[in-house]
Amino acid sequence: MPMGALLARPAGSRRQNDVLMQPQLRRIVDELNHAQARLDRLADDVAEDRWGKRSDPSRWSVGECVAHLNLTGAAYVPRIRQAIEEARRLPKTGTRSYKRDPVGWLFGTMVGPLPMIGKMRIGRVKTTPAFVPSGDMPKQQQLAEFKRLQIELVSLAGESDGLPIDKVSITSPFGEKVHYNCYSAFVLLPRHEERHIQQAELVWSR
């Protein structure tokens, strides 16, 4: 299936599948689509009776990994939407390049895919309590919620086209003292998704 077809173009979104879209935003859309496709493949491979079950009591189940991503997406969407509204009040940027701020760059590195030694991931960090998942939502409901949030993020990326989203800040839902620009938030989200989808892929492959 073509990458652009994985997440349908939502009503009201701007140019996210067009060649005219700002290249950095287009890359974010591609990365969100890649994460969606990767999760879809994993869902096909993991049976319902294993979805919410831990293979190791100390590690999350597949369902818990997805639930964590859903909690994260749900926390970021309104913050990004508010930042976009602030950016609308600033002069438009056209197609100039966006830049991450130092905090956004660091945070994006921290939440991205972890390096592997064999099948062991290194560099794990403790999840804040608000984002520790229960994992008790049915598999199909979790998958539907993940896709809904991905479509929202794709739409928001489209709405950002031409706006100075690197000139407006959001407060990280992972820490109220942490602030970075909206473009940094867009960059880190698919990286964070790939990290936990990778984690979910390893649950039953160890």
Side-chain angles (χ1 to χ4, degrees):
M1 181 182 298
M3 189 68 72
L6 291 171
L7 296 178
R9 185 175 182 174
S13 61
R14 296 179 62 246
R15 301 192 302 175
Q16 63 262 36
N17 291 320
D18 297 348
V19 295
L20 294 178
M21 189 178 192
Q22 202 274 355
Q24 290 166 295
L25 292 175
R26 185 173 176 81
R27 180 178 178 183
I28 288 166
V29 171
D30 288 344
E31 290 172 348
L32 290 167
N33 279 323
H34 183 271
Q36 179 69 61
R38 188 175 179 182
L39 180 59
D40 287 345
R41 290 192 297 269
L42 178 63
D44 288 341
D45 291 340
V46 178
E48 184 81 37
D49 61 344
R50 282 190 163 190
W51 185 262
K53 183 178 179 181
R54 292 186 176 190
S55 62
D56 180 333
S58 66
R59 298 178 184 274
W60 289 349
S61 67
V62 176
E64 286 172 313
C65 293
V66 178
H68 170 72
L69 292 178
N70 289 344
L71 289 170
T72 302
Y76 269 101
V77 162
R79 295 167 193 249
I80 290 175
R81 184 176 290 116
Q82 181 179 348
I84 289 172
E85 290 306 312
E86 293 176 13
R88 291 188 197 280
R89 296 192 287 269
L90 300 177
K92 291 189 175 182
T93 61
T95 58
R96 75 164 178 81
S97 295
Y98 293 116
K99 294 182 179 179
R100 288 186 287 171
D101 52 73
V103 174
W105 178 88
L106 177 62
F107 205 71
T109 300
M110 291 172 58
V111 303
L114 298 177
M116 306 282 292
I117 298 180
K119 291 186 176 181
M120 181 180 296
R121 299 182 313 139
I122 59 174
R124 296 171 65 192
V125 295
K126 187 176 178 62
T127 302
T128 54
F131 293 90
V132 174
S134 66
D136 55 358
M137 186 181 292
K139 175 182 176 180
Q140 292 306 317
Q141 192 174 346
Q142 284 188 334
L143 292 171
E145 175 66 0
F146 183 85
K147 188 165 188 176
R148 181 188 72 80
L149 291 164
Q150 293 293 87
I151 290 172
E152 283 206 57
L153 289 169
V154 168
S155 179
L156 290 171
E159 291 178 31
S160 300
D161 202 358
L163 300 178
I165 56 170
D166 55 349
K167 302 298 183 184
V168 292
S169 294
I170 71 163
T171 300
S172 172
F174 292 109
E176 294 300 314
K177 294 183 179 179
V178 181
H179 305 270
Y180 36 80
N181 66 42
C182 183
Y183 173 65
S184 295
F186 270 125
V187 171
L188 72 85
L189 277 167
R191 289 180 53 78
H192 182 251
E193 291 172 356
E194 296 283 357
R195 172 187 183 135
H196 288 287
I197 294 172
Q198 176 193 68
Q199 178 184 357
E201 290 169 341
L202 292 173
V203 171
W204 294 107
S205 65
R206 291 186 177 90

